[in-house]
Amino acid sequence: MSSRPAPIDECAGIGLQISATFFFAIMSTMVRVVADQVLSGEIVFARSFSRSFFGGVPLVVWLLWSGRMTSDFRTRQPAGHVIRGLVGVNAMWLTFGALAFIPLDEAVALSYATPLVAVILAGFVLDARESRAAWARSA
């Protein structure tokens, strides 16, 4: 079964990205509000549980309905998925912990360093040679 790339719809992409930014801002604000009363580990657990329930249950139902449950969960790199999951949980934990100690606007400003760090890590992890244009786009 060959898959075709999805047609490019820039307006839809921009709308989805703006919506995602809005919802991430709401999540960060909510984390900041409860960070003084709730441990960051509990916040991470609640966020992970809600993501698994509200995102995972519909996904599993759809995969069962479409008959693709086994084929879509098969992978040749299970260790890579475990590593990605551990990195993601640690990033979430550290982000939520930072929101407990510094103001929300400072945490958001510091998060803007993410693209620059990604370009640097790509050189080490992926052995990628980034051009000056890639550096300029990430700055």
Side-chain angles (χ1 to χ4, degrees), residues 10-26:
E10 290 180 1
C11 290
I14 291 169
L16 289 170
Q17 187 60 51
I18 290 171
S19 299
T21 301
F22 177 72
F23 283 108
F24 274 114
I26 290 173

Side-chain angles (χ1 to χ4, degrees), residues 7-63:
I8 295 175
D9 184 351
E10 290 180 1
C11 290
I14 291 169
L16 289 170
Q17 187 60 51
I18 290 171
S19 299
T21 301
F22 177 72
F23 283 108
F24 274 114
I26 290 173
M27 180 184 65
S28 296
T29 303
M30 292 171 58
V31 168
R32 180 66 185 115
V33 167
V34 300
D36 293 335
Q37 296 90 19
V38 181
L39 296 173
S40 60
E42 293 176 15
I43 298 171
V44 170
F45 175 80
R47 198 241 185 222
S48 298
F49 178 79
S50 64
R51 180 178 66 177
S52 297
F53 183 74
F54 293 114
V57 170
L59 175 65
V60 168
V61 169
W62 177 73
L63 288 173

Side-chain angles (χ1 to χ4, degrees), residues 40-121:
S40 60
E42 293 176 15
I43 298 171
V44 170
F45 175 80
R47 198 241 185 222
S48 298
F49 178 79
S50 64
R51 180 178 66 177
S52 297
F53 183 74
F54 293 114
V57 170
L59 175 65
V60 168
V61 169
W62 177 73
L63 288 173
L64 286 171
W65 177 75
S66 66
R68 296 174 19 185
M69 185 68 171
T70 56
S71 65
D72 284 0
F73 278 101
R74 190 172 302 127
T75 180
R76 289 177 286 173
Q77 298 181 349
H81 288 279
V82 170
I83 291 169
R84 187 198 64 81
L86 291 172
V87 168
V89 166
N90 283 309
M92 186 180 1
W93 200 312
L94 293 170
T95 300
F96 291 175
L99 289 169
F101 293 109
I102 60 177
L104 182 60
D105 57 341
E106 290 180 22
V108 170
L110 288 170
S111 74
Y112 291 145
T114 301
L116 186 60
V117 174
V119 170
I120 293 169
L121 284 177

